[in-house]
Amino acid sequence: MSVAFRRESDEEHLEPKFEIPIAPGPNIVTPRGLKLIDAKVIELEAAVDAAVEPELAVLKRELRYWHTRQTTAEVAPPPAEGEIGIGSRVTIRMAGKQRVVEIVGGDEADPAEGRIGFAAPLAQALVGGEIGERVDFNGVAEAIEILDSVAIGES
């Protein structure tokens, strides 16, 4: 029989599964973000214990990602009073509209909920700013007015 018609298994024809990519740079988190990571690891460890193939391989891959995020997490110090940093809830006015955002770690980010990762361009524009200041954003001078800022704590 020709080699072209021989089939060892379906596995050799599947796309390879690569590890979940990890963002470059430090893994800075808020206290809330660290709690979320810890909870995710516990949830996945329980799921791995109860799983069978092929789900087991997928869960183990995800668990490796979250273990890495857990071991590399660095809790950001609270922002200095009056200064915006990781762990700040900031009220801004941009393009005539008022908006509230929280600056958090990358894994905790959820733009639909107003949580933006510290590496996001908007967060980068705000970090280091102070209430009453106007900051440049997206190539526009003084595009954002900082109206208020508070530390978000462990909420």
Side-chain angles (χ1 to χ4, degrees), residues 66-106:
W66 288 106
H67 268 148
T68 300
R69 299 307 280 172
Q70 185 180 46
T71 58
T72 61
E74 302 171 32
V75 177
E81 184 153 342
E83 187 174 306
I84 296 168
I86 299 169
S88 293
R89 179 179 295 120
V90 188
T91 305
I92 61 173
R93 182 175 300 125
M94 182 169 58
K97 295 181 181 170
Q98 192 166 309
R99 179 177 173 192
V100 177
V101 295
E102 292 180 3
I103 302 172
V104 296

Short mmCIF file of all heavy atoms in Angstrom, two decimals, residues 66-106:
data_model
loop_
_atom_site.label_atom_id
_atom_site.label_comp_id
_atom_site.label_asym_id
_atom_site.label_seq_id
_atom_site.Cartn_x
_atom_site.Cartn_y
_atom_site.Cartn_z
N TRP A 66 -1.88 30.21 34.03
CA TRP A 66 -2.25 30.89 35.26
C TRP A 66 -1.24 30.65 36.39
O TRP A 66 -1.02 31.53 37.23
CB TRP A 66 -3.67 30.52 35.69
CG TRP A 66 -4.65 31.18 34.77
CD1 TRP A 66 -5.39 30.58 33.79
CD2 TRP A 66 -4.96 32.57 34.69
NE1 TRP A 66 -6.13 31.52 33.11
CE2 TRP A 66 -5.90 32.74 33.65
CE3 TRP A 66 -4.54 33.68 35.40
CZ2 TRP A 66 -6.41 33.99 33.31
CZ3 TRP A 66 -5.06 34.93 35.07
CH2 TRP A 66 -5.98 35.08 34.04
N HIS A 67 -0.58 29.49 36.42
CA HIS A 67 0.50 29.28 37.40
C HIS A 67 1.63 30.27 37.14
O HIS A 67 2.20 30.83 38.09
CB HIS A 67 1.05 27.85 37.33
CG HIS A 67 0.38 26.90 38.27
ND1 HIS A 67 0.23 25.58 37.96
CD2 HIS A 67 -0.17 27.06 39.50
CE1 HIS A 67 -0.40 24.97 38.96
NE2 HIS A 67 -0.65 25.86 39.90
N THR A 68 1.97 30.45 35.88
CA THR A 68 3.02 31.41 35.53
C THR A 68 2.62 32.81 35.94
O THR A 68 3.42 33.56 36.53
CB THR A 68 3.32 31.37 34.01
OG1 THR A 68 3.74 30.05 33.67
CG2 THR A 68 4.40 32.36 33.63
N ARG A 69 1.38 33.19 35.67
CA ARG A 69 0.90 34.53 36.05
C ARG A 69 0.91 34.69 37.57
O ARG A 69 1.22 35.76 38.09
CB ARG A 69 -0.49 34.79 35.48
CG ARG A 69 -0.56 34.74 33.97
CD ARG A 69 0.45 35.64 33.29
NE ARG A 69 -0.02 37.02 33.27
CZ ARG A 69 0.72 38.05 32.89
NH1 ARG A 69 1.97 37.87 32.51
NH2 ARG A 69 0.22 39.26 32.90
N GLN A 70 0.58 33.61 38.27
CA GLN A 70 0.55 33.66 39.74
C GLN A 70 1.96 33.83 40.31
O GLN A 70 2.17 34.64 41.20
CB GLN A 70 -0.09 32.37 40.26
CG GLN A 70 -0.30 32.33 41.75
CD GLN A 70 -0.94 31.03 42.19
OE1 GLN A 70 -0.52 29.95 41.75
NE2 GLN A 70 -1.95 31.10 43.04
N THR A 71 2.91 33.09 39.78
CA THR A 71 4.27 33.15 40.34
C THR A 71 5.03 34.40 39.94
O THR A 71 5.98 34.78 40.62
CB THR A 71 5.10 31.90 39.94
OG1 THR A 71 5.16 31.82 38.52
CG2 THR A 71 4.50 30.63 40.51
N THR A 72 4.63 35.04 38.85
CA THR A 72 5.34 36.26 38.42
C THR A 72 4.61 37.54 38.83
O THR A 72 5.11 38.64 38.57
CB THR A 72 5.52 36.27 36.89
OG1 THR A 72 4.23 36.24 36.25
CG2 THR A 72 6.36 35.09 36.42
N ALA A 73 3.46 37.41 39.49
CA ALA A 73 2.67 38.59 39.86
C ALA A 73 3.42 39.47 40.86
O ALA A 73 4.01 38.98 41.82
CB ALA A 73 1.33 38.16 40.44
N GLU A 74 3.39 40.76 40.60
CA GLU A 74 3.95 41.77 41.51
C GLU A 74 2.82 42.73 41.85
O GLU A 74 2.32 43.42 40.97
CB GLU A 74 5.07 42.55 40.82
CG GLU A 74 6.22 41.73 40.32
CD GLU A 74 7.18 42.56 39.47
OE1 GLU A 74 7.34 43.77 39.73
OE2 GLU A 74 7.76 41.99 38.54
N VAL A 75 2.44 42.77 43.12
CA VAL A 75 1.36 43.67 43.53
C VAL A 75 1.89 45.10 43.49
O VAL A 75 2.92 45.42 44.09
CB VAL A 75 0.82 43.33 44.92
CG1 VAL A 75 -0.24 44.32 45.36
CG2 VAL A 75 0.26 41.91 44.93
N ALA A 76 1.17 45.96 42.76
CA ALA A 76 1.56 47.36 42.63
C ALA A 76 1.37 48.07 43.97
O ALA A 76 0.36 47.84 44.65
CB ALA A 76 0.72 48.04 41.56
N PRO A 77 2.31 48.92 44.33
CA PRO A 77 2.08 49.70 45.54
C PRO A 77 0.92 50.67 45.30
O PRO A 77 0.66 51.05 44.15
CB PRO A 77 3.40 50.44 45.74
CG PRO A 77 4.03 50.48 44.39
CD PRO A 77 3.55 49.25 43.67
N PRO A 78 0.21 51.06 46.35
CA PRO A 78 -0.87 52.02 46.14
C PRO A 78 -0.33 53.31 45.53
O PRO A 78 0.79 53.73 45.85
CB PRO A 78 -1.42 52.28 47.55
CG PRO A 78 -0.80 51.26 48.43
CD PRO A 78 0.40 50.71 47.74
N PRO A 79 -1.09 53.93 44.65
CA PRO A 79 -0.61 55.18 44.06
C PRO A 79 -0.46 56.26 45.13
O PRO A 79 -1.20 56.28 46.12
CB PRO A 79 -1.70 55.56 43.04
CG PRO A 79 -2.86 54.67 43.30
CD PRO A 79 -2.40 53.54 44.16
N ALA A 80 0.51 57.14 44.92
CA ALA A 80 0.70 58.25 45.86
C ALA A 80 -0.55 59.12 45.86
O ALA A 80 -1.24 59.23 44.85
CB ALA A 80 1.93 59.07 45.44
N GLU A 81 -0.84 59.71 47.00
CA GLU A 81 -2.04 60.55 47.10
C GLU A 81 -2.01 61.66 46.06
O GLU A 81 -1.00 62.36 45.90
CB GLU A 81 -2.16 61.15 48.49
CG GLU A 81 -3.44 61.94 48.65
CD GLU A 81 -3.93 61.98 50.06
OE1 GLU A 81 -3.51 61.15 50.88
OE2 GLU A 81 -4.74 62.85 50.33
N GLY A 82 -3.10 61.77 45.33
CA GLY A 82 -3.21 62.82 44.32
C GLY A 82 -2.59 62.46 42.98
O GLY A 82 -2.70 63.22 42.03
N GLU A 83 -1.92 61.31 42.91
CA GLU A 83 -1.27 60.91 41.66
C GLU A 83 -1.92 59.64 41.12
O GLU A 83 -2.27 58.75 41.88
CB GLU A 83 0.22 60.68 41.88
CG GLU A 83 0.98 60.42 40.58
CD GLU A 83 2.48 60.33 40.81
OE1 GLU A 83 3.05 61.27 41.38
OE2 GLU A 83 3.07 59.31 40.41
N ILE A 84 -2.04 59.55 39.83
CA ILE A 84 -2.67 58.40 39.19
C ILE A 84 -1.62 57.32 38.96
O ILE A 84 -0.51 57.60 38.50
CB ILE A 84 -3.32 58.81 37.86
CG1 ILE A 84 -4.44 59.80 38.15
CG2 ILE A 84 -3.86 57.60 37.11
CD1 ILE A 84 -4.97 60.49 36.93
N GLY A 85 -2.00 56.08 39.29
CA GLY A 85 -1.11 54.95 39.07
C GLY A 85 -1.93 53.68 38.93
O GLY A 85 -3.17 53.71 38.84
N ILE A 86 -1.25 52.55 38.92
CA ILE A 86 -1.94 51.27 38.87
C ILE A 86 -2.72 51.13 40.17
O ILE A 86 -2.16 51.33 41.26
CB ILE A 86 -0.94 50.12 38.68
CG1 ILE A 86 -0.19 50.29 37.37
CG2 ILE A 86 -1.65 48.77 38.73
CD1 ILE A 86 1.00 49.39 37.19
N GLY A 87 -3.99 50.85 40.06
CA GLY A 87 -4.84 50.78 41.23
C GLY A 87 -5.64 52.06 41.45
O GLY A 87 -6.22 52.25 42.52
N SER A 88 -5.70 52.93 40.45
CA SER A 88 -6.49 54.16 40.55
C SER A 88 -7.80 54.03 39.78
O SER A 88 -7.84 53.42 38.71
CB SER A 88 -5.72 55.35 39.95
OG SER A 88 -4.58 55.66 40.71
N ARG A 89 -8.85 54.62 40.35
CA ARG A 89 -10.11 54.80 39.63
C ARG A 89 -10.12 56.29 39.25
O ARG A 89 -10.08 57.15 40.11
CB ARG A 89 -11.32 54.48 40.50
CG ARG A 89 -12.66 54.70 39.77
CD ARG A 89 -13.88 54.34 40.63
NE ARG A 89 -13.87 52.90 40.92
CZ ARG A 89 -13.84 52.38 42.13
NH1 ARG A 89 -13.80 53.15 43.19
NH2 ARG A 89 -13.85 51.07 42.31
N VAL A 90 -10.16 56.54 37.95
CA VAL A 90 -9.97 57.90 37.44
C VAL A 90 -11.21 58.35 36.68
O VAL A 90 -11.72 57.63 35.83
CB VAL A 90 -8.75 57.95 36.49
CG1 VAL A 90 -8.43 59.39 36.11
CG2 VAL A 90 -7.53 57.29 37.11
N THR A 91 -11.66 59.56 37.01
CA THR A 91 -12.75 60.18 36.26
C THR A 91 -12.11 61.19 35.31
O THR A 91 -11.34 62.06 35.74
CB THR A 91 -13.74 60.90 37.20
OG1 THR A 91 -14.20 59.96 38.17
CG2 THR A 91 -14.92 61.45 36.42
N ILE A 92 -12.41 61.04 34.03
CA ILE A 92 -11.81 61.90 33.01
C ILE A 92 -12.89 62.51 32.13
O ILE A 92 -14.02 62.03 32.09
CB ILE A 92 -10.81 61.12 32.12
CG1 ILE A 92 -11.52 59.97 31.39
CG2 ILE A 92 -9.62 60.62 32.93
CD1 ILE A 92 -10.66 59.25 30.36
N ARG A 93 -12.51 63.56 31.43
CA ARG A 93 -13.36 64.10 30.38
C ARG A 93 -12.52 64.08 29.11
O ARG A 93 -11.42 64.61 29.07
CB ARG A 93 -13.82 65.52 30.68
CG ARG A 93 -14.75 66.07 29.58
CD ARG A 93 -15.33 67.44 29.90
NE ARG A 93 -16.12 67.37 31.12
CZ ARG A 93 -15.91 68.16 32.19
NH1 ARG A 93 -14.98 69.08 32.17
NH2 ARG A 93 -16.67 68.04 33.27
N MET A 94 -13.07 63.41 28.10
CA MET A 94 -12.37 63.29 26.82
C MET A 94 -13.40 63.48 25.71
O MET A 94 -14.45 62.83 25.74
CB MET A 94 -11.69 61.90 26.72
CG MET A 94 -10.90 61.68 25.47
SD MET A 94 -9.86 60.19 25.49
CE MET A 94 -11.04 58.90 25.79
N ALA A 95 -13.11 64.35 24.77
CA ALA A 95 -14.01 64.65 23.66
C ALA A 95 -15.39 65.07 24.18
O ALA A 95 -16.41 64.70 23.63
CB ALA A 95 -14.12 63.47 22.71
N GLY A 96 -15.40 65.81 25.28
CA GLY A 96 -16.64 66.32 25.83
C GLY A 96 -17.45 65.32 26.64
O GLY A 96 -18.51 65.66 27.15
N LYS A 97 -16.96 64.10 26.77
CA LYS A 97 -17.70 63.07 27.51
C LYS A 97 -16.94 62.67 28.77
O LYS A 97 -15.72 62.50 28.74
CB LYS A 97 -17.91 61.83 26.64
CG LYS A 97 -18.80 62.11 25.44
CD LYS A 97 -19.00 60.86 24.62
CE LYS A 97 -19.87 61.21 23.41
NZ LYS A 97 -19.93 60.13 22.46
N GLN A 98 -17.69 62.49 29.85
CA GLN A 98 -17.10 62.06 31.10
C GLN A 98 -17.08 60.54 31.14
O GLN A 98 -18.03 59.89 30.70
CB GLN A 98 -17.91 62.62 32.27
CG GLN A 98 -17.22 62.46 33.59
CD GLN A 98 -17.88 63.30 34.67
OE1 GLN A 98 -18.09 64.48 34.49
NE2 GLN A 98 -18.20 62.67 35.78
N ARG A 99 -16.01 60.00 31.70
CA ARG A 99 -15.83 58.55 31.74
C ARG A 99 -15.03 58.19 32.99
O ARG A 99 -14.16 58.95 33.41
CB ARG A 99 -15.07 58.13 30.47
CG ARG A 99 -14.77 56.68 30.35
CD ARG A 99 -14.09 56.39 29.03
NE ARG A 99 -13.66 55.02 28.97
CZ ARG A 99 -12.87 54.52 28.07
NH1 ARG A 99 -12.41 55.28 27.10
NH2 ARG A 99 -12.52 53.26 28.09
N VAL A 100 -15.32 57.03 33.57
CA VAL A 100 -14.57 56.54 34.72
C VAL A 100 -13.86 55.25 34.30
O VAL A 100 -14.47 54.35 33.73
CB VAL A 100 -15.50 56.25 35.93
CG1 VAL A 100 -14.71 55.66 37.08
CG2 VAL A 100 -16.22 57.52 36.35
N VAL A 101 -12.55 55.18 34.57
CA VAL A 101 -11.77 53.98 34.27
C VAL A 101 -10.94 53.60 35.49
O VAL A 101 -10.58 54.45 36.30
CB VAL A 101 -10.83 54.17 33.05
CG1 VAL A 101 -11.62 54.40 31.78
CG2 VAL A 101 -9.84 55.29 33.27
N GLU A 102 -10.69 52.31 35.61
CA GLU A 102 -9.78 51.81 36.64
C GLU A 102 -8.53 51.29 35.94
O GLU A 102 -8.64 50.56 34.94
CB GLU A 102 -10.42 50.68 37.44
CG GLU A 102 -11.57 51.13 38.30
CD GLU A 102 -12.19 49.99 39.10
OE1 GLU A 102 -11.69 48.84 39.03
OE2 GLU A 102 -13.19 50.25 39.78
N ILE A 103 -7.37 51.63 36.45
CA ILE A 103 -6.11 51.16 35.87
C ILE A 103 -5.67 49.94 36.67
O ILE A 103 -5.44 50.03 37.88
CB ILE A 103 -5.05 52.27 35.89
CG1 ILE A 103 -5.56 53.48 35.10
CG2 ILE A 103 -3.72 51.75 35.32
CD1 ILE A 103 -4.70 54.71 35.20
N VAL A 104 -5.59 48.80 35.98
CA VAL A 104 -5.35 47.51 36.64
C VAL A 104 -4.27 46.73 35.88
O VAL A 104 -3.76 47.19 34.86
CB VAL A 104 -6.66 46.69 36.69
CG1 VAL A 104 -7.71 47.40 37.55
CG2 VAL A 104 -7.21 46.43 35.30
N GLY A 105 -3.98 45.52 36.36
CA GLY A 105 -3.05 44.62 35.68
C GLY A 105 -3.67 44.08 34.40
O GLY A 105 -4.89 44.11 34.21
N GLY A 106 -2.84 43.56 33.52
CA GLY A 106 -3.30 43.07 32.22
C GLY A 106 -4.34 41.97 32.28
O GLY A 106 -5.31 41.98 31.52
#
